[in-house]
Amino acid sequence: EEDCPQNAAGAEPASGQDTEKTEGVASQNGEEEEEDDHEHSDAKDELQSGSGSETKAGDGKAGEGEAKVLKFRVTCNRAGDKHSFTSNEAARDFGGAVQEHFQWKADMTNFDVEVLLNIHNNEVVVGIALTEESLHRRNITHFGPTTLRSTLAYGMLRLCNPQPTDIIVDPMCGTGAIPIEGASEWPSCYHIAGDNNPQAVKRAANNISSLLKKNENKESSTSSGIPLDIIQWDICNLPLRTGSVDIIVTDMPFGKRIGSKKKNWDLYPACLMEMGRICTPGTGRAALLTQDKKCFAKALSRMGHIWRKGQTVWVNVGGLHAAVYLLRRTWERAEEKRSFW
Ligand SMILES: C[S@@+](CC[C@H](N)C(=O)[O-])C[C@H]1O[C@@H](n2cnc3c(N)ncnc32)[C@H](O)[C@@H]1O
């Protein structure tokens, strides 16, 4: 079994709530385990924290002629094992500085502005949340053990610069995060996806059904379907014509929750070979996500005649340091295993 049972898959991750007073400022933690994401690492901790005294609802409302005092909270996401501070401490100290600089009031629940503090090893990105909820689960209702964040799926697709009428394939689609994002955001392309695990294919089909239902309920929607087909297949033997695919975007087994590092030594070269066969020589491109970088590099070195490596984008997947490799299909003919395609 490579996937986990249906009922467990849809469950929300466990979270623990704790309220504490630190150095005279109120803070609140909600540690969230990324169960639905990739392999979880202890290095990642994600929680929300604010600093400054708690304010009651209604506080900070401007009276006539008075300027409104903004209420804020800081949410910190931290990944990396060399930090001498927790995300709670980072959020608290950063919140203190924001409060002092802008004279805003901290409020954990009734805030106007959510300040995001994303710390990844020695890199810090500060932002303002534009949506109330994170968009990383948009369009997905049936989760699997390694469901990819929709936001990352979108980024991978975008790196391939899809053009109208392009055929885009995810040959190891799991619950379908990549093709569903693709079909929603690039509806002029045709998306095909598959997986060798029947349970994963079922979940992907359920996610498509939910999306169709959601679209039906939208008054403004005129769409009568989404340009996406899902089938069960083995990536080493795809039922697709040679040179027929413009773009391949996939999230490969890391060898932790799905498969094993040992299996990857056979799987990765076979994947690159078969993906090279279906992809259009000269113009075809691929964005492949993996954390098993050593195995990927070795496999790619054997397939250098059909794939040329471009940019590598480093990403944090559930606390793991993973890479999105952008590849370009060379003009070289790929090996034909069968004559009938
Ligand atoms: C990292 S997961 C993909 C997760 C997916 N992006 C999602 O959002 O659910 C890798 C997938 O590769 C599939 N897989 C492994 N070996 C395969 C093979 N030989 N052919 C097709 N799919 C395979 C697994 O079943 C798994 O669903």
Side-chain angles (χ1 to χ4, degrees):
E1 271 304 319
E2 292 200 300
D3 234 323
C4 69
Q6 185 77 35
N7 51 3
E12 282 293 309
S15 67
Q17 292 282 335
D18 186 23
T19 308
E20 60 177 22
K21 280 225 172 231
T22 320
E23 295 168 354
V25 293
S27 72
Q28 180 186 332
N29 310 341
E31 294 218 355
E32 189 178 301
E33 207 182 313
E34 289 284 323
E35 269 305 327
D36 289 326
D37 228 308
H38 271 275
E39 295 88 349
H40 180 69
S41 147
D42 289 334
K44 177 167 200 259
D45 75 27
E46 184 165 12
L47 55 84
Q48 294 172 336
S49 177
S51 80
S53 335
E54 289 273 336
T55 47
K56 292 192 186 78
D59 265 12
K61 274 207 180 132
E64 262 181 52
E66 253 178 70
K68 183 182 186 252
V69 175
L70 275 184
K71 287 186 279 185
F72 79 104
R73 81 170 181 194
V74 176
T75 297
C76 176
N77 295 300
R78 184 183 68 84
D81 49 13
K82 294 202 174 75
H83 298 139
S84 57
F85 53 85
T86 64
S87 50
N88 189 24
E89 288 164 344
R92 187 195 59 206
D93 288 2
F94 194 78
V98 169
Q99 189 173 34
E100 203 177 304
H101 186 83
F102 295 105
Q103 298 296 305
W104 293 348
K105 276 191 175 179
D107 192 320
M108 297 307 301
T109 48
N110 192 20
F111 51 88
D112 306 300
V113 177
E114 183 174 29
V115 179
L116 303 173
L117 183 64
N118 292 330
I119 304 172
H120 185 205
N121 292 325
N122 58 358
E123 215 178 82
V124 180
V125 177
V126 179
I128 300 281
L130 297 179
T131 53
E132 274 184 25
E133 271 182 31
S134 167
L135 297 181
H136 76 278
R137 288 175 190 201
R138 60 182 174 227
N139 299 331
I140 301 291
T141 48
H142 294 72
F143 291 89
T146 58
T147 299
L148 195 67
R149 289 166 183 259
S150 307
T151 39
L152 183 46
Y154 173 83
M156 288 172 67
L157 284 152
R158 195 173 153 178
L159 283 169
C160 294
N161 191 21
Q163 299 299 310
T165 76
D166 272 353
I167 295 179
I168 306 181
V169 171
D170 179 353
M172 292 186 279
C173 71
T175 47
I178 294 171
I180 286 173
E181 196 59 27
S184 309
E185 298 298 322
W186 287 273
S188 321
C189 298
Y190 173 45
H191 305 260
I192 311 172
D195 200 285
N196 68 344
N197 183 332
Q199 219 169 5
V201 175
K202 203 167 148 194
R203 284 195 191 117
N206 283 335
N207 280 322
I208 296 174
S209 300
S210 307
L211 185 61
L212 281 169
K213 236 176 247 156
K214 195 170 109 186
N215 286 351
E216 266 170 28
N217 294 341
K218 272 191 203 156
E219 270 174 38
S220 57
S221 170
T222 51
S223 98
S224 55
I226 54 172
L228 165 59
D229 286 312
I230 304 262
I231 49 173
Q232 189 180 337
W233 63 25
D234 178 0
I235 188 167
C236 305
N237 197 13
L238 296 171
L240 295 170
R241 286 175 188 274
T242 297
S244 62
V245 169
D246 299 290
I247 295 175
I248 297 174
V249 180
T250 202
D251 165 18
M252 302 171 81
F254 286 10
K256 291 197 166 193
R257 283 196 188 176
I258 303 275
S260 67
K261 297 264 181 202
K262 194 161 169 256
K263 279 190 193 162
N264 282 351
W265 286 103
D266 289 329
L267 182 66
Y268 279 23
C271 285
L272 286 174
M273 173 77 92
E274 185 64 345
M275 290 193 283
R277 183 187 67 77
I278 61 166
C279 213
T280 316
T283 55
R285 50 223 185 266
L288 310 178
L289 169 69
T290 182
Q291 191 247 344
D292 197 351
K293 291 159 276 192
K294 201 166 133 191
C295 182
F296 186 86
K298 183 84 183 153
L300 189 61
S301 70
R302 285 168 57 189
M303 299 295 151
H305 59 297
I306 48 173
W307 289 112
R308 180 138 311 133
K309 189 152 107 43
Q311 196 187 352
T312 301
V313 180
W314 302 106
V315 288
N316 174 354
V317 181
L320 295 174
H321 190 236
V324 175
Y325 295 97
L326 284 180
L327 307 183
R328 169 72 66 167
R329 179 69 173 82
T330 65
W331 286 101
E332 193 85 15
R333 262 177 72 90
E335 192 184 311
E336 294 273 357
K337 279 188 295 190
R338 296 155 303 175
S339 54
F340 50 89
W341 295 117

